[in-house]
Amino acid sequence: MIDLKEFQVWFLTGSQHLYGEETIKQVADHAKEIADYLNDSEDISVSVVFKPVLTTSDSIFDTLVEASSDKKCIGVVTWMHTFSPAKMWIRGLKALQKPLLHLHTQYNSEIPWDSIDMDFMNLNQSAHGDREFGHIVSKLGKQRKVVTGYWKDEDVLKSVDSWARACAAWQDWQGAKFARFGDNMREVSVTDGDKVAAEERFGFSVNTYAVGDLVKVIDAVSDAEVQELIKEYESTYTLAENVQESGSKRQNLIDAAQIELGMKKFLEQGGFKGFSNTFEDLYGMKQLPGIATQRLMEQGYGYAGEGDWKTAALVRAAKVMGAGLKGGNSFMEDYTYHLKKGEEMVLGAHMLEVDPSLTSEKPRLEVHPLSIGGKDDPARLVFDGDPAEKALNASLVDMGGRFRLVVNDVVGINPNKDMPKLPVARVFWKPLPSLQVAASGWIYAAGAHHTVYSQNLSLEHFRDFAAFANIEVVHIGKDTDLYQLQKELLWNDKYYTEK
Ligand code: MN
């Protein structure tokens, strides 16, 4: 569903006419070599497209306007191989509507000690050319990421790729549609928020759709389609005895498959990239979608429960940013704690809806009663999430007049306990720097109980992403000090409310 190579980053090189034709040609050859290297590198997930060297104010303006309106272009990388007087960039930068990365690199990694002469010096000027460019970007107050280092270095490529993935997710949000079946869970605060402000800031829309209209699509699914999906379930999962053929809960499985097919049709027909629902409004549905939601998330749809459209959108963004990386991204809830001294950890789960992309094991397909909602026993996939040395939880909250992203680095673990009576998928993690500091910090920061749990994204991805929206990021990690964090929150309140 998500192919990052469909997204293009444009590689733009600045220079000037002063150096003559021969030098400009060399600049172009070098720039093309770098752009092609990035494009072919396995470390860069998007396409990188070389563009002709820019030497005039008009060509800069035209190219940046074109980048802004081109649907495939998700961002531009700039590099000044030589000096490129930056007043030429003012008009173009002011017109640019796409994310900007300033790659502060140099064609040569080393000084050629024996052969260096003034020709070399005149060609390899990024050390000062990029400073001239950077000056005007800062002066204009233009948001961008600066990455410094040799263009073949792994840490440079990783940092560029983090930004490129964030660009793809950002582009994906622009004009994205999220469906909300039913309203917010009654009386819940954090899952709600200002959808109009979100559309203005983030570019996606959230609108409500009647559950009854979804049920019509579900009811129209044919038996043949359902039987085919049941076969897929049987070949993909380990079925509990009561859902196997002629088992006492087989019909619940058939109903669940019909719900999955209907929901997928509804989402495809409406061009939605994610959805939310609530167990308080399942009018006409036989059961709360469990396996349906789990599998739709696995296919790339954003989702969060109880009407939580912000987390649904964030899960979708994580799906795009994490496409092709080992590990998964899922809607998550801090469910219950293990507070034994020295072993503190969080059990993350939801009523049903955890994405099987978090596990490498074969999920079990089971039907059990759900204590709330008053519907038929729903089918769900049950599994333990894989351990992940560098995992995180991210939460997007509406602070009233502004949005905040809270990120906590965690270590995903598997406690290797059986838990035979727990009929839901679950993940365990140890928050950094400790459960005590992380949870207190999270609560001070107004973080939600709903998150996207990621096994393959880092703080850098989310920081790059949040920068496009110009929203605050509160990070809780190994170096977090609670007192400093509380002060940061106070400062941020001042800064972000006055902006
Ligand atoms: Mn919930």
Side-chain angles (χ1 to χ4, degrees):
M1 185 176 178
I2 300 160
D3 177 11
L4 292 178
K5 280 287 173 194
E6 285 177 7
F7 296 101
Q8 292 180 358
V9 161
W10 288 7
F11 192 91
L12 309 180
T13 312
S15 189
Q16 61 179 337
H17 283 300
L18 204 66
Y19 308 107
E21 289 284 308
E22 189 50 37
T23 304
I24 300 287
K25 192 184 170 313
Q26 257 182 306
V27 167
D29 289 347
H30 289 170
K32 183 159 190 330
E33 190 182 334
I34 295 176
D36 289 349
Y37 184 85
L38 297 177
N39 186 51
D40 295 339
S41 168
E42 283 187 3
D43 292 320
I44 303 291
S45 47
V46 303
S47 297
V48 179
V49 179
F50 168 78
K51 293 283 169 181
V53 176
L54 301 168
T55 55
T56 65
S57 178
D58 283 344
S59 64
I60 290 167
F61 178 78
D62 290 348
T63 304
L64 293 182
V65 166
E66 197 189 335
S68 300
S69 62
D70 188 285
K71 282 190 174 164
K72 283 193 166 169
C73 176
I74 59 170
V76 298
V77 173
T78 53
W79 171 54
M80 308 301 125
H81 190 343
T82 62
F83 202 72
S84 178
K87 281 169 65 180
M88 295 194 303
W89 286 83
I90 292 175
R91 207 158 47 101
L93 286 171
K94 284 176 81 173
L96 179 65
Q97 296 293 317
K98 294 276 168 76
L100 171 64
L101 183 140
H102 180 189
L103 181 59
H104 181 37
T105 190
Q106 182 173 281
Y107 179 70
N108 279 63
S109 69
E110 296 176 21
I111 290 176
W113 304 105
D114 296 332
S115 63
I116 187 166
D117 56 12
M118 281 318 288
D119 285 345
F120 181 92
M121 297 279 276
N122 282 334
L123 182 62
N124 295 282
Q125 295 185 332
S126 31
H128 61 283
D130 271 331
R131 284 167 203 254
E132 163 74 357
F133 175 77
H135 167 77
I136 202 66
V137 184
S138 285
K139 197 166 183 174
L140 292 171
K142 187 95 187 158
Q143 192 282 321
R144 91 291 210 188
K145 182 178 191 178
V146 181
V147 177
T148 299
Y150 185 54
W151 45 283
K152 286 183 181 173
D153 283 353
E154 199 187 331
D155 51 352
V156 168
L157 294 170
K158 267 186 79 175
S159 210
V160 171
D161 189 55
S162 165
W163 171 84
R165 287 175 174 277
C167 287
W170 182 250
Q171 177 83 356
D172 180 75
W173 261 13
Q174 306 314 303
K177 297 197 289 178
F178 292 89
R180 203 167 183 232
F181 301 115
D183 199 87
N184 198 59
M185 180 180 164
R186 288 174 205 119
E187 308 290 358
V188 177
S189 170
V190 77
T191 47
D192 221 329
D194 188 337
K195 296 195 282 291
V196 181
E199 184 158 353
E200 183 192 342
R201 187 151 292 262
F202 302 125
F204 63 75
S205 65
V206 181
N207 286 293
T208 191
Y209 292 86
V211 181
D213 288 335
L214 172 62
V215 169
K216 268 187 223 157
V217 181
I218 292 169
D219 286 348
V221 171
S222 72
D223 288 347
E225 288 173 284
V226 171
Q227 285 313 316
E228 202 173 315
L229 185 55
I230 294 278
K231 270 187 209 150
E232 189 182 327
Y233 288 172
E234 284 171 339
S235 64
T236 315
Y237 311 114
T238 304
L239 271 62
E241 209 165 308
N242 63 356
V243 296
Q244 291 175 11
E245 213 164 350
S246 65
S248 61
K249 294 290 178 186
R250 181 71 168 186
Q251 187 57 46
N252 297 51
L253 189 67
I254 292 166
D255 294 342
Q258 191 173 354
I259 288 172
E260 177 180 334
L261 290 161
M263 288 181 78
K264 187 163 185 184
K265 269 188 193 164
F266 191 98
L267 294 169
E268 280 176 349
Q269 283 165 8
F272 298 106
K273 288 177 173 170
F275 64 102
S276 177
N277 58 1
T278 170
F279 64 92
E280 285 177 334
D281 186 356
L282 295 174
Y283 188 83
M285 290 183 84
K286 289 182 178 154
Q287 50 180 272
L288 177 67
I291 187 172
T293 301
Q294 293 178 292
R295 284 168 49 88
L296 288 166
M297 253 193 290
E298 189 180 25
Q299 290 162 35
Y301 288 101
Y303 171 80
E306 290 105 31
D308 186 351
W309 51 271
K310 293 188 298 300
T311 306
L314 195 63
V315 168
R316 168 66 186 187
K319 293 279 174 193
V320 176
M321 283 196 282
L325 296 175
K326 189 176 170 291
N329 290 282
S330 177
F331 166 53
M332 190 56 64
E333 181 167 299
D334 295 75
Y335 221 103
T336 200
Y337 288 144
H338 183 62
L339 286 181
K340 188 177 174 189
K341 213 65 184 162
E343 293 179 11
E344 293 89 344
M345 64 180 102
V346 182
L347 187 167
H350 205 253
M351 284 186 290
L352 304 169
E353 311 92 338
V354 176
D355 183 336
S357 70
L358 297 182
T359 192
S360 52
E361 70 182 37
K362 188 175 184 178
R364 299 180 297 286
L365 176 44
E366 304 178 6
V367 167
H368 299 275
L370 192 68
S371 48
I372 45 178
K375 293 282 174 176
D376 291 354
D377 301 351
R380 82 287 305 270
L381 298 170
V382 182
F383 57 85
D384 292 282
D386 287 347
E389 193 58 40
K390 289 185 174 173
L392 59 78
N393 275 300
S395 166
L396 181 63
V397 289
D398 184 337
M399 296 298 291
R402 73 186 212 268
F403 293 92
R404 170 186 283 165
L405 187 70
V406 189
V407 178
N408 182 204
D409 297 328
V410 306
V411 179
I413 57 163
N414 187 342
N416 295 312
K417 302 282 187 194
D418 276 347
M419 298 168 283
K421 292 184 174 173
L422 184 68
V424 290
R426 60 274 181 154
V427 182
F428 288 85
W429 64 81
K430 288 177 182 275
L432 295 176
S434 65
L435 190 147
Q436 290 86 342
V437 171
S440 294
W442 189 272
I443 288 168
Y444 283 129
H449 58 285
H450 282 173
T451 62
V452 51
Y453 177 78
S454 178
Q455 295 172 325
N456 57 22
L457 296 170
S458 67
L459 172 65
E460 189 174 4
H461 292 106
F462 283 95
R463 272 195 177 143
D464 289 348
F465 185 70
F468 305 149
N470 193 20
I471 62 163
E472 172 191 2
V473 180
V474 176
H475 174 232
I476 300 166
K478 67 177 173 49
D479 297 323
T480 293
D481 171 89
L482 266 187
Y483 180 61
Q484 289 298 329
L485 182 80
Q486 287 176 81
K487 286 202 292 188
E488 180 187 330
L489 293 171
L490 289 174
W491 298 330
N492 285 1
D493 277 344
K494 203 76 186 155
Y495 176 79
Y496 284 96
T497 46
E498 284 184 357
K499 239 176 127 57

